[in-house]
Amino acid sequence: MTAEPASGSATARDRTALVRTGPPPTALVVTLIPLAVAVNFVGNLAIAPLGLPIYLDTIGTFLAAVLLGPWWGALAGVLTNVLGVFPNGVTNLLFAPVNVVAALVWGYGVRRLGLGRRPVPFFALAIVVGLATAAAATPIVLLLGGSTGHPSDVVTALLAGLGLGVAVLLSNVLTSVPDKMIAGYVGLAITAALPAAVAARAVLPEAPGSRRLVVAIGGIVAGIVLTVLAVALLPLVTPPSA
């Protein structure tokens, strides 16, 4: 009498694990990859008029990486940079590796290492993604002479007294960490509204629905607060340029 429910429960767990670790359905890939690229563009376009030193161009990358797999997220990121050549110029291609790094860290972090199971590891993973992408972007920005035309150039200029290399690295850290926090938690909020069959492809904080949305809103607020603090306090703590 008691063996059947246990067997049924194990079967259900096995099916859920297969959904999360198996290859994604072709229909989901064909739907989600273009959607992820579009979300990346919308996020970047939405933040641009505010003049804030963040990007919000990896929300879709997060979605593809955690729901489909890290390399599918990398594909969405690369496509974003390829298509971004039209509004932003050919130098946009140079930053494709940054989007790839974000996808791989998010994808393997959530799907392989299980860092999306609880709010605290998920928060820590967002910080790691920010640090990893900052490290990946720094040599690219230096290749461009330390300036990209993005509002983050202001942060680099304020840190110029530390030397160009250090200024670019710190500028990328100060902008990428809150940016990836906001992007990850906006992506988390989006998963809260997805159909259960799609949302089940990733183990993320709380079950899809209102509780996950509350966690996401908290993370978004934390990222915004970090951004505002960085912008407000940076002029007070930076050394004078030579």
Side-chain angles (χ1 to χ4, degrees), residues 47-63:
I47 200 66
L50 301 180
L52 294 174
I54 54 177
Y55 316 93
L56 294 192
D57 58 351
T58 57
I59 299 171
T61 301
F62 166 87
L63 290 171

Side-chain angles (χ1 to χ4, degrees), residues 169-206:
L169 175 60
L170 290 179
S171 173
N172 274 290
V173 169
L174 289 171
T175 57
S176 290
V177 169
D179 174 70
K180 299 309 179 289
M181 285 179 60
I182 296 172
Y185 280 104
V186 170
L188 184 65
I190 292 174
T191 68
L194 291 176
V198 177
R201 291 195 55 81
V203 181
L204 295 166
E206 301 296 347

Side-chain angles (χ1 to χ4, degrees), residues 139-239:
I140 301 171
V141 176
L142 288 173
L143 181 65
L144 296 173
S147 175
T148 62
H150 187 266
S152 59
D153 288 349
V154 176
V155 179
T156 304
L158 289 170
L159 296 168
L162 300 174
L164 182 60
V166 175
V168 170
L169 175 60
L170 290 179
S171 173
N172 274 290
V173 169
L174 289 171
T175 57
S176 290
V177 169
D179 174 70
K180 299 309 179 289
M181 285 179 60
I182 296 172
Y185 280 104
V186 170
L188 184 65
I190 292 174
T191 68
L194 291 176
V198 177
R201 291 195 55 81
V203 181
L204 295 166
E206 301 296 347
S210 59
R211 292 184 64 179
R212 179 177 291 181
L213 186 60
V214 169
V215 172
I217 292 173
I220 293 168
V221 170
I224 292 172
V225 169
L226 279 180
T227 303
V228 171
L229 285 175
V231 172
L233 298 179
L234 193 59
L236 303 177
V237 299
T238 50

Side-chain angles (χ1 to χ4, degrees), residues 24-111:
T26 301
L28 182 60
V29 172
V30 171
T31 302
L32 192 54
I33 293 296
L35 179 62
V37 174
V39 169
N40 282 345
F41 272 101
V42 169
N44 188 243
L45 290 173
I47 200 66
L50 301 180
L52 294 174
I54 54 177
Y55 316 93
L56 294 192
D57 58 351
T58 57
I59 299 171
T61 301
F62 166 87
L63 290 171
V66 302
L67 295 175
L68 300 178
W71 291 102
W72 289 113
L75 174 62
V78 169
L79 289 175
T80 299
N81 286 91
V82 170
L83 296 176
V85 166
F86 296 101
N88 301 321
V90 71
T91 57
N92 202 67
L93 284 174
L94 296 176
F95 290 93
V98 180
N99 234 325
V100 171
V101 168
L104 297 183
V105 178
W106 262 323
Y108 283 112
V110 169
R111 298 182 65 83

